[in-house]
Amino acid sequence: MENLIFGAFATLDGYREGDAANLGRTVYDRCTVVALCSAKAQNPACTVALLTNAPVPEPFRSQLTQGGVEIWDCPFTTYRVPADTNWALAYYKLCAMAWVLENRDFARAAMLDLDTFTQRIIQIGRADDLWRECDEAVLLYQVPHAASQAMTAAISRCFDAVEPDGAPHALTHFGGELVAGSRARLTYFMSLCRDYFEELQAKGITPKEGDEAVWCGAAYRSLLAGKPVRAANAYIFRYWLGGHFYYVSTNYTLDPVCILHLPGAAKDRQLKLIYNGYARRG
């Protein structure tokens, strides 16, 4: 295949999915249909797949396959952390990226979070903008957090513990909602992720910040090695839509991004509305 778009979902007894742990499986299955069926509808030439370690229940399985989404069995055998770790299941995204590199043939890949909605083909000026950039760099969403923001600072402290020389470091905060690159660039990048994760584990450190801590540490090392990592913010943006804090923006329609990331409360609000409309219309 030329270009692959995929998302990853895992479930394990006793494991949790961050602060939204009690939303229930159905909420995540609805989001999965919205995320991957919209990605396929906007990018029909791409292979779009769900990687999961568990059977997908009906009607969601049929909705995915009828929407052109493939379902691949990917066991959660690497990047496992203790079940009571916040964002323990988010580490499955690292496992899934490693799995596709080992088990599928593709030129370029983009892994999306499953609380996303793709509103247009992955492009800005040309139909292959993202994929062109993938040949030159790994792309990650850059979270607009200052170095002293609590989560960003915690990610940097994890790196300080592994590499005390030069501490305190100020790592760029990258999110895990989009990880993209060419096969060669992702292979190198994932080797950095594996090494950094193993070093954290050897120090007895399991970041509460989930997969984002590992992406950030690997990105920092990649940049130091002269292997570029770029912000993917021209293609995806994170919109908080909660009652007490939300982001007001026009970039969903003016010079629009391709993918809307709708975390938190939107899983059971805005994304539920999109799913209900899709289920009615198909």
Side-chain angles (χ1 to χ4, degrees), residues 3-26:
N3 298 321
L4 168 66
I5 300 170
F6 70 96
F9 175 82
T11 181
L12 291 169
D13 288 343
Y15 275 67
R16 57 181 298 176
E17 181 59 52
D19 296 328
N22 297 319
L23 287 177
R25 172 71 189 265
T26 297

Side-chain angles (χ1 to χ4, degrees), residues 1 5 17 23 94 118 173 216 219 222:
M1 70 191 77
I5 300 170
E17 181 59 52
L23 287 177
L94 291 150
T118 300
H173 187 179
C216 292
S222 185

Side-chain angles (χ1 to χ4, degrees), residues 145-220:
H145 284 165
S148 60
Q149 191 271 345
M151 188 172 181
T152 304
I155 288 170
S156 294
R157 287 194 298 271
C158 289
F159 194 85
D160 292 342
V162 170
E163 292 197 17
D165 291 345
H169 298 88
L171 273 64
T172 300
H173 187 179
F174 290 110
E177 48 260 77
L178 185 143
V179 182
S182 67
R183 166 176 282 280
R185 292 195 178 276
L186 287 172
T187 298
Y188 173 76
F189 186 66
M190 287 306 297
S191 72
L192 297 180
C193 290
R194 182 190 63 246
D195 292 347
Y196 183 54
F197 178 78
E198 290 175 354
E199 290 170 39
L200 287 167
Q201 295 290 283
K203 293 279 188 179
I205 300 169
T206 300
K208 294 185 296 183
E209 296 71 34
D211 60 308
E212 294 188 7
V214 181
W215 302 125
C216 292
Y220 191 84

Side-chain angles (χ1 to χ4, degrees), residues 80-99:
R80 290 274 291 268
V81 298
D84 61 352
T85 303
N86 199 33
W87 301 111
L89 289 175
Y91 283 89
Y92 181 66
K93 291 187 284 182
L94 291 150
C95 175
M97 180 63 81
W99 189 92

Side-chain angles (χ1 to χ4, degrees), residues 234-253:
Y235 306 100
I236 187 169
F237 202 81
R238 183 188 292 183
Y239 304 89
W240 290 102
L241 300 171
H244 298 289
F245 174 78
Y246 56 92
Y247 193 86
V248 178
S249 176
T250 59
N251 69 354
Y252 68 96
T253 186

